[in-house]
Amino acid sequence: MINRRKSKEIAIGNVKIGNNNPISVQSMCNTDTRDIEQTSRQIKELADAGCELVRLAVLNNDAADAIKSLVKISPVPLIADIHFDYKLAIKCINNGISALRLNPGNIGKRENVEAVVKLAKQQKIPIRIGVNAGSLEKDLKNLDIPLAEKMVKSALSHVKILEDLDFDLIKISLKSSDVLTTIQAYELMADAVDYPLHLGITEAGTLKSGLIKSSVGIGTLLAKGIGDTIRVSLTENPIEEVFAGFEILKCLKLRTKGVNFVSCPTCGRTQIDLINLAKKVEERFKNLDYPITIATMGCVVNGPGEASHADFGIAGGIKEGLVFKKGEIVAKVPESELLNKLEEVIKSSLNNM
């Protein structure tokens, strides 16, 4: 059982972050925010995949104007990602955005910051301070201290600006493409403040390398009890980020949303196309929103026993296979019927729960 760090609770729309609330999974649209039809379609796809918060890039006035329509049709709270232009932040708040990703030190004069913070406080709009290792302030870059410490100093300077204005609806992220630097930065920040922390490895890479880096970095922090919301950043369809986020949380038993898939590695005993079979099982049941474990095993001799921890599963043989439930064999069918029989057994069992 992981003992989570105690953090302040904030609300982004109807999603509560921090304290003992479930660690939320979020992603970001890669569409042009000005394109309301395309963006709303992707928001819905992300929500259908389980995404609980969606961030949108707001680059100009037209994008900020589009927020008004998007928040009305979005099934999940939306977050506006803004850099430098405080007027865009004000427009997004007025148009119904649920939260901002904005560094107060980067939007100019103090009166600009005050204008944004005053409105955010009135509307109870949280602000995420997001520090990236590659874009630190010039005065910090030259300090002779570890990069993680520079990141924390940057974040704390932004926090102070907000706190001085009596604003505490704050969430913080400290992302680097280097996993160890990211871990160290979050550990330092976790000890320094009680604000909720948004975890992620920035510029993690494409699907394979990005999944590995993010799993190690985010997983390590979560295992230490650090983190209140996560985004797995991938150079890939954002839906893959959502899937990966929940898989990380399920591995650590922090969330139980959806199916936990397990499958054995291939070996010389395998008498079936196990790789494709496992992929078909995941595809068939990926939208089944029950906290069950489904196993795909390559050997009828050892498979059911080795996967006795699974709720349901199949084990392949020569042109046939077994369907099992809690390690007990319930059917033996031709290979072509395995998936349908597995689905029949699962649906029957769930309907009787």
Side-chain angles (χ1 to χ4, degrees):
M1 187 68 163
I2 294 173
N3 292 318
R4 289 178 58 192
R5 161 183 170 267
K6 297 297 181 185
S7 59
K8 176 182 171 61
E9 180 179 288
I10 63 173
I12 299 177
N14 61 359
V15 177
K16 293 182 178 179
I17 308 291
N19 197 8
N20 291 317
N21 292 295
I23 296 168
S24 59
V25 174
Q26 57 181 278
S27 184
M28 185 173 184
C29 284
N30 58 13
T31 57
D32 185 336
T33 305
R34 295 170 297 182
D35 188 333
I36 294 172
E37 182 179 351
Q38 186 182 30
T39 302
S40 62
R41 186 184 306 119
Q42 189 171 72
I43 290 170
K44 186 178 185 306
E45 290 171 351
L46 287 167
D48 288 345
C51 189
E52 293 156 317
L53 297 164
V54 175
R55 183 156 48 105
L56 304 173
V58 180
L59 304 178
N60 51 37
N61 276 311
D62 290 339
D65 288 337
I67 294 295
K68 190 170 187 176
S69 297
L70 291 169
V71 297
K72 290 179 180 178
I73 55 182
S74 174
V76 296
L78 301 180
I79 302 169
D81 190 293
I82 294 168
H83 294 272
F84 309 118
D85 191 343
Y86 80 100
K87 292 180 181 178
L88 296 179
I90 290 174
K91 181 172 282 191
C92 285
I93 294 174
N94 287 329
N95 283 343
I97 204 71
S98 293
L100 300 172
R101 190 277 195 188
L102 174 149
N103 289 348
N106 295 342
I107 58 173
K109 300 176 182 178
R110 182 177 176 86
E111 53 261 37
N112 297 349
V113 179
E114 289 176 350
V116 173
V117 172
K118 180 180 179 181
L119 189 58
K121 189 174 180 180
Q122 288 175 351
Q123 301 296 327
K124 294 184 170 59
I125 303 299
I127 295 175
R128 170 161 74 93
I129 292 169
V131 173
N132 280 355
S135 55
L136 291 173
E137 297 88 337
K138 291 181 180 179
D139 60 326
L140 291 175
K141 286 182 180 180
N142 297 325
L143 289 179
D144 187 20
I145 58 175
L147 178 55
E149 293 182 23
K150 295 179 185 179
M151 294 168 65
V152 171
K153 280 183 174 293
S154 176
L156 290 176
S157 69
H158 291 293
V159 168
K160 187 175 187 305
I161 293 172
L162 295 180
E163 289 181 336
D164 286 347
L165 294 172
D166 195 29
F167 186 87
D168 64 355
L169 301 179
I170 299 170
K171 180 158 57 85
I172 302 170
S173 67
L174 306 106
K175 299 181 181 182
S176 169
S177 58
D178 180 79
V179 173
L180 291 178
T181 297
T182 301
I183 292 171
Q184 185 183 5
Y186 277 109
E187 288 176 334
L188 291 170
M189 184 57 72
D191 289 335
V193 298
D194 67 349
Y195 295 117
L197 299 177
H198 165 111
L199 303 187
I201 306 295
T202 193
E203 301 157 5
T206 54
L207 187 59
K208 288 183 180 179
S209 62
L211 281 176
I212 293 169
K213 290 177 184 176
S214 295
S215 297
V216 172
I218 295 173
T220 297
L221 289 164
L222 290 173
K224 293 172 179 283
I226 297 171
D228 302 284
T229 181
I230 65 174
R231 180 197 175 189
V232 180
S233 299
L234 299 172
T235 311
E236 185 52 83
N237 187 320
I239 289 174
E240 296 291 346
E241 300 184 349
V242 179
F243 174 78
F246 278 110
E247 287 301 303
I248 292 171
L249 293 174
K250 282 190 286 187
C251 286
L252 294 167
K253 301 190 185 319
L254 290 166
R255 292 289 295 268
T256 57
K257 183 178 176 63
V259 176
N260 177 37
F261 294 102
V262 297
S263 57
C264 65
T266 57
C267 73
R269 292 192 302 272
T270 304
Q271 300 293 319
I272 200 169
D273 186 358
L274 180 63
I275 294 174
N276 282 323
L277 182 59
K279 290 178 180 178
K280 288 178 181 178
V281 169
E282 282 199 7
E283 183 63 27
R284 178 73 67 94
F285 302 104
K286 67 181 181 180
N287 294 323
L288 190 62
D289 195 10
Y290 285 88
I292 59 174
T293 296
I294 301 177
T296 307
M297 310 300 287
C299 175
V300 295
V301 177
N302 298 320
E306 290 176 348
S308 59
H309 62 283
D311 297 291
F312 307 95
I314 53 178
I318 302 175
K319 297 183 180 180
E320 64 181 14
L322 306 175
V323 178
F324 56 90
K325 177 180 175 181
K326 296 289 188 182
E328 298 294 324
I329 297 169
V330 296
K332 182 178 182 179
V333 297
E335 180 181 343
S336 61
E337 298 177 19
L338 269 173
L339 275 176
N340 288 336
K341 188 62 179 179
L342 175 62
E343 185 171 24
E344 178 187 316
V345 170
I346 291 174
K347 284 186 175 180
S348 176
S349 298
L350 294 178
N351 287 336
N352 293 324
M353 284 177 62

mmCIF file of all heavy atoms in Angstrom, residues 292-323:
data_model
loop_
_atom_site.group_PDB
_atom_site.id
_atom_site.type_symbol
_atom_site.label_atom_id
_atom_site.label_comp_id
_atom_site.label_asym_id
_atom_site.label_seq_id
_atom_site.Cartn_x
_atom_site.Cartn_y
_atom_site.Cartn_z
ATOM 1 N N ILE A 292 -11.112 -5.916 -13.813
ATOM 2 C CA ILE A 292 -10.812 -7.345 -13.878
ATOM 3 C C ILE A 292 -9.481 -7.570 -14.580
ATOM 4 O O ILE A 292 -8.983 -6.687 -15.285
ATOM 5 C CB ILE A 292 -11.925 -8.121 -14.618
ATOM 6 C CG1 ILE A 292 -12.091 -7.590 -16.052
ATOM 7 C CG2 ILE A 292 -13.238 -8.041 -13.844
ATOM 8 C CD1 ILE A 292 -13.067 -8.391 -16.903
ATOM 9 N N THR A 293 -8.910 -8.762 -14.399
ATOM 10 C CA THR A 293 -7.675 -9.140 -15.074
ATOM 11 C C THR A 293 -7.976 -10.215 -16.101
ATOM 12 O O THR A 293 -8.614 -11.224 -15.796
ATOM 13 C CB THR A 293 -6.641 -9.667 -14.063
ATOM 14 O OG1 THR A 293 -6.289 -8.614 -13.162
ATOM 15 C CG2 THR A 293 -5.379 -10.148 -14.773
ATOM 16 N N ILE A 294 -7.529 -9.994 -17.338
ATOM 17 C CA ILE A 294 -7.693 -10.960 -18.427
ATOM 18 C C ILE A 294 -6.306 -11.388 -18.886
ATOM 19 O O ILE A 294 -5.460 -10.546 -19.215
ATOM 20 C CB ILE A 294 -8.485 -10.368 -19.603
ATOM 21 C CG1 ILE A 294 -9.882 -9.924 -19.147
ATOM 22 C CG2 ILE A 294 -8.590 -11.385 -20.737
ATOM 23 C CD1 ILE A 294 -10.711 -9.268 -20.239
ATOM 24 N N ALA A 295 -6.075 -12.698 -18.922
ATOM 25 C CA ALA A 295 -4.762 -13.234 -19.283
ATOM 26 C C ALA A 295 -4.804 -13.903 -20.651
ATOM 27 O O ALA A 295 -5.795 -14.547 -21.015
ATOM 28 C CB ALA A 295 -4.309 -14.237 -18.229
ATOM 29 N N THR A 296 -3.727 -13.751 -21.399
ATOM 30 C CA THR A 296 -3.544 -14.470 -22.655
ATOM 31 C C THR A 296 -2.251 -15.272 -22.532
ATOM 32 O O THR A 296 -1.163 -14.695 -22.444
ATOM 33 C CB THR A 296 -3.448 -13.502 -23.848
ATOM 34 O OG1 THR A 296 -4.574 -12.619 -23.845
ATOM 35 C CG2 THR A 296 -3.415 -14.269 -25.162
ATOM 36 N N MET A 297 -2.373 -16.595 -22.516
ATOM 37 C CA MET A 297 -1.235 -17.473 -22.267
ATOM 38 C C MET A 297 -0.973 -18.348 -23.489
ATOM 39 O O MET A 297 -1.893 -18.709 -24.231
ATOM 40 C CB MET A 297 -1.500 -18.337 -21.032
ATOM 41 C CG MET A 297 -1.974 -17.553 -19.804
ATOM 42 S SD MET A 297 -0.802 -16.297 -19.246
ATOM 43 C CE MET A 297 0.466 -17.338 -18.511
ATOM 44 N N GLY A 298 0.280 -18.719 -23.685
ATOM 45 C CA GLY A 298 0.654 -19.447 -24.887
ATOM 46 C C GLY A 298 0.715 -20.947 -24.749
ATOM 47 O O GLY A 298 0.942 -21.645 -25.737
ATOM 48 N N CYS A 299 0.477 -21.464 -23.554
ATOM 49 C CA CYS A 299 0.669 -22.895 -23.321
ATOM 50 C C CYS A 299 -0.529 -23.474 -22.572
ATOM 51 O O CYS A 299 -0.862 -23.017 -21.480
ATOM 52 C CB CYS A 299 1.954 -23.109 -22.513
ATOM 53 S SG CYS A 299 2.253 -24.799 -22.019
ATOM 54 N N VAL A 300 -1.161 -24.495 -23.135
ATOM 55 C CA VAL A 300 -2.328 -25.088 -22.474
ATOM 56 C C VAL A 300 -1.934 -25.928 -21.266
ATOM 57 O O VAL A 300 -2.755 -26.223 -20.397
ATOM 58 C CB VAL A 300 -3.143 -25.963 -23.460
ATOM 59 C CG1 VAL A 300 -3.728 -25.108 -24.559
ATOM 60 C CG2 VAL A 300 -2.284 -27.073 -24.049
ATOM 61 N N VAL A 301 -0.669 -26.350 -21.204
ATOM 62 C CA VAL A 301 -0.214 -27.184 -20.098
ATOM 63 C C VAL A 301 -0.067 -26.365 -18.817
ATOM 64 O O VAL A 301 -0.600 -26.708 -17.757
ATOM 65 C CB VAL A 301 1.121 -27.883 -20.434
ATOM 66 C CG1 VAL A 301 1.614 -28.696 -19.231
ATOM 67 C CG2 VAL A 301 0.956 -28.783 -21.652
ATOM 68 N N ASN A 302 0.637 -25.249 -18.920
ATOM 69 C CA ASN A 302 0.926 -24.438 -17.741
ATOM 70 C C ASN A 302 0.126 -23.137 -17.663
ATOM 71 O O ASN A 302 0.038 -22.525 -16.597
ATOM 72 C CB ASN A 302 2.416 -24.076 -17.691
ATOM 73 C CG ASN A 302 3.291 -25.294 -17.578
ATOM 74 O OD1 ASN A 302 2.965 -26.230 -16.872
ATOM 75 N ND2 ASN A 302 4.412 -25.292 -18.292
ATOM 76 N N GLY A 303 -0.444 -22.710 -18.786
ATOM 77 C CA GLY A 303 -1.084 -21.404 -18.847
ATOM 78 C C GLY A 303 -2.132 -21.131 -17.791
ATOM 79 O O GLY A 303 -2.028 -20.148 -17.040
ATOM 80 N N PRO A 304 -3.162 -21.981 -17.673
ATOM 81 C CA PRO A 304 -4.210 -21.699 -16.677
ATOM 82 C C PRO A 304 -3.684 -21.615 -15.251
ATOM 83 O O PRO A 304 -4.131 -20.775 -14.462
ATOM 84 C CB PRO A 304 -5.175 -22.875 -16.850
ATOM 85 C CG PRO A 304 -4.976 -23.304 -18.267
ATOM 86 C CD PRO A 304 -3.505 -23.133 -18.518
ATOM 87 N N GLY A 305 -2.735 -22.484 -14.913
ATOM 88 C CA GLY A 305 -2.176 -22.453 -13.560
ATOM 89 C C GLY A 305 -1.324 -21.237 -13.314
ATOM 90 O O GLY A 305 -1.413 -20.592 -12.260
ATOM 91 N N GLU A 306 -0.498 -20.878 -14.301
ATOM 92 C CA GLU A 306 0.381 -19.717 -14.157
ATOM 93 C C GLU A 306 -0.414 -18.424 -14.078
ATOM 94 O O GLU A 306 0.034 -17.457 -13.468
ATOM 95 C CB GLU A 306 1.359 -19.659 -15.335
ATOM 96 C CG GLU A 306 2.405 -20.764 -15.310
ATOM 97 C CD GLU A 306 3.303 -20.732 -16.535
ATOM 98 O OE1 GLU A 306 2.969 -20.015 -17.497
ATOM 99 O OE2 GLU A 306 4.330 -21.424 -16.524
ATOM 100 N N ALA A 307 -1.602 -18.414 -14.687
ATOM 101 C CA ALA A 307 -2.430 -17.214 -14.674
ATOM 102 C C ALA A 307 -3.648 -17.393 -13.766
ATOM 103 O O ALA A 307 -4.702 -16.799 -13.999
ATOM 104 C CB ALA A 307 -2.880 -16.869 -16.091
ATOM 105 N N SER A 308 -3.492 -18.184 -12.713
ATOM 106 C CA SER A 308 -4.622 -18.435 -11.811
ATOM 107 C C SER A 308 -5.059 -17.175 -11.066
ATOM 108 O O SER A 308 -6.166 -17.111 -10.536
ATOM 109 C CB SER A 308 -4.267 -19.534 -10.803
ATOM 110 O OG SER A 308 -3.138 -19.157 -10.036
ATOM 111 N N HIS A 309 -4.171 -16.165 -11.033
ATOM 112 C CA HIS A 309 -4.529 -14.898 -10.404
ATOM 113 C C HIS A 309 -5.499 -14.090 -11.257
ATOM 114 O O HIS A 309 -6.131 -13.150 -10.778
ATOM 115 C CB HIS A 309 -3.266 -14.067 -10.168
ATOM 116 C CG HIS A 309 -2.555 -13.715 -11.444
ATOM 117 N ND1 HIS A 309 -1.776 -14.629 -12.123
ATOM 118 C CD2 HIS A 309 -2.539 -12.578 -12.183
ATOM 119 C CE1 HIS A 309 -1.298 -14.048 -13.227
ATOM 120 N NE2 HIS A 309 -1.745 -12.805 -13.279
ATOM 121 N N ALA A 310 -5.582 -14.434 -12.553
ATOM 122 C CA ALA A 310 -6.440 -13.685 -13.462
ATOM 123 C C ALA A 310 -7.903 -14.078 -13.257
ATOM 124 O O ALA A 310 -8.218 -15.208 -12.883
ATOM 125 C CB ALA A 310 -6.031 -13.936 -14.912
ATOM 126 N N ASP A 311 -8.791 -13.140 -13.539
ATOM 127 C CA ASP A 311 -10.223 -13.440 -13.444
ATOM 128 C C ASP A 311 -10.669 -14.317 -14.609
ATOM 129 O O ASP A 311 -11.480 -15.235 -14.440
ATOM 130 C CB ASP A 311 -11.020 -12.133 -13.437
ATOM 131 C CG ASP A 311 -10.689 -11.279 -12.232
ATOM 132 O OD1 ASP A 311 -11.042 -11.664 -11.117
ATOM 133 O OD2 ASP A 311 -10.046 -10.224 -12.418
ATOM 134 N N PHE A 312 -10.144 -14.006 -15.795
ATOM 135 C CA PHE A 312 -10.489 -14.762 -16.998
ATOM 136 C C PHE A 312 -9.237 -14.886 -17.863
ATOM 137 O O PHE A 312 -8.303 -14.098 -17.743
ATOM 138 C CB PHE A 312 -11.580 -14.048 -17.801
ATOM 139 C CG PHE A 312 -12.804 -13.698 -17.000
ATOM 140 C CD1 PHE A 312 -12.948 -12.432 -16.435
ATOM 141 C CD2 PHE A 312 -13.809 -14.628 -16.817
ATOM 142 C CE1 PHE A 312 -14.076 -12.110 -15.703
ATOM 143 C CE2 PHE A 312 -14.945 -14.309 -16.077
ATOM 144 C CZ PHE A 312 -15.076 -13.058 -15.516
ATOM 145 N N GLY A 313 -9.259 -15.863 -18.775
ATOM 146 C CA GLY A 313 -8.122 -15.971 -19.666
ATOM 147 C C GLY A 313 -8.294 -17.052 -20.705
ATOM 148 O O GLY A 313 -9.241 -17.844 -20.677
ATOM 149 N N ILE A 314 -7.354 -17.047 -21.654
ATOM 150 C CA ILE A 314 -7.285 -18.094 -22.659
ATOM 151 C C ILE A 314 -5.859 -18.592 -22.736
ATOM 152 O O ILE A 314 -4.899 -17.864 -22.467
ATOM 153 C CB ILE A 314 -7.765 -17.602 -24.044
ATOM 154 C CG1 ILE A 314 -7.024 -16.319 -24.461
ATOM 155 C CG2 ILE A 314 -9.254 -17.376 -24.062
ATOM 156 C CD1 ILE A 314 -7.430 -15.816 -25.846
ATOM 157 N N ALA A 315 -5.715 -19.888 -23.088
ATOM 158 C CA ALA A 315 -4.405 -20.497 -23.253
ATOM 159 C C ALA A 315 -4.400 -21.242 -24.583
ATOM 160 O O ALA A 315 -5.296 -22.051 -24.850
ATOM 161 C CB ALA A 315 -4.107 -21.452 -22.102
ATOM 162 N N GLY A 316 -3.442 -20.930 -25.425
ATOM 163 C CA GLY A 316 -3.415 -21.484 -26.771
ATOM 164 C C GLY A 316 -2.715 -22.820 -26.871
ATOM 165 O O GLY A 316 -1.737 -23.086 -26.163
ATOM 166 N N GLY A 317 -3.223 -23.673 -27.764
ATOM 167 C CA GLY A 317 -2.594 -24.952 -28.071
ATOM 168 C C GLY A 317 -2.421 -25.065 -29.579
ATOM 169 O O GLY A 317 -2.304 -24.055 -30.268
ATOM 170 N N ILE A 318 -2.421 -26.292 -30.087
ATOM 171 C CA ILE A 318 -2.287 -26.503 -31.524
ATOM 172 C C ILE A 318 -3.672 -26.424 -32.156
ATOM 173 O O ILE A 318 -4.494 -27.341 -32.008
ATOM 174 C CB ILE A 318 -1.637 -27.868 -31.825
ATOM 175 C CG1 ILE A 318 -0.257 -27.954 -31.155
ATOM 176 C CG2 ILE A 318 -1.494 -28.067 -33.334
ATOM 177 C CD1 ILE A 318 0.394 -29.307 -31.291
ATOM 178 N N LYS A 319 -3.957 -25.310 -32.834
ATOM 179 C CA LYS A 319 -5.226 -25.063 -33.519
ATOM 180 C C LYS A 319 -6.435 -25.087 -32.593
ATOM 181 O O LYS A 319 -7.570 -25.186 -33.048
ATOM 182 C CB LYS A 319 -5.417 -26.064 -34.664
ATOM 183 C CG LYS A 319 -4.371 -25.940 -35.754
ATOM 184 C CD LYS A 319 -4.649 -26.893 -36.895
ATOM 185 C CE LYS A 319 -3.584 -26.746 -37.988
ATOM 186 N NZ LYS A 319 -3.832 -27.683 -39.121
ATOM 187 N N GLU A 320 -6.194 -25.006 -31.298
ATOM 188 C CA GLU A 320 -7.288 -24.931 -30.340
ATOM 189 C C GLU A 320 -6.786 -24.256 -29.080
ATOM 190 O O GLU A 320 -5.608 -23.913 -28.970
ATOM 191 C CB GLU A 320 -7.823 -26.331 -30.017
ATOM 192 C CG GLU A 320 -6.795 -27.225 -29.336
ATOM 193 C CD GLU A 320 -7.340 -28.615 -29.040
ATOM 194 O OE1 GLU A 320 -8.405 -28.962 -29.593
ATOM 195 O OE2 GLU A 320 -6.693 -29.357 -28.272
ATOM 196 N N GLY A 321 -7.665 -24.066 -28.131
ATOM 197 C CA GLY A 321 -7.234 -23.427 -26.899
ATOM 198 C C GLY A 321 -8.242 -23.614 -25.790
ATOM 199 O O GLY A 321 -9.358 -24.110 -26.002
ATOM 200 N N LEU A 322 -7.839 -23.190 -24.609
ATOM 201 C CA LEU A 322 -8.676 -23.301 -23.426
ATOM 202 C C LEU A 322 -9.139 -21.927 -22.977
ATOM 203 O O LEU A 322 -8.397 -20.951 -23.072
ATOM 204 C CB LEU A 322 -7.897 -23.958 -22.282
ATOM 205 C CG LEU A 322 -7.246 -25.305 -22.552
ATOM 206 C CD1 LEU A 322 -6.420 -25.735 -21.337
ATOM 207 C CD2 LEU A 322 -8.295 -26.351 -22.902
ATOM 208 N N VAL A 323 -10.351 -21.869 -22.488
ATOM 209 C CA VAL A 323 -10.854 -20.672 -21.821
ATOM 210 C C VAL A 323 -10.940 -21.013 -20.344
ATOM 211 O O VAL A 323 -11.483 -22.070 -19.977
ATOM 212 C CB VAL A 323 -12.243 -20.263 -22.349
ATOM 213 C CG1 VAL A 323 -12.761 -19.030 -21.589
ATOM 214 C CG2 VAL A 323 -12.178 -19.967 -23.844
#
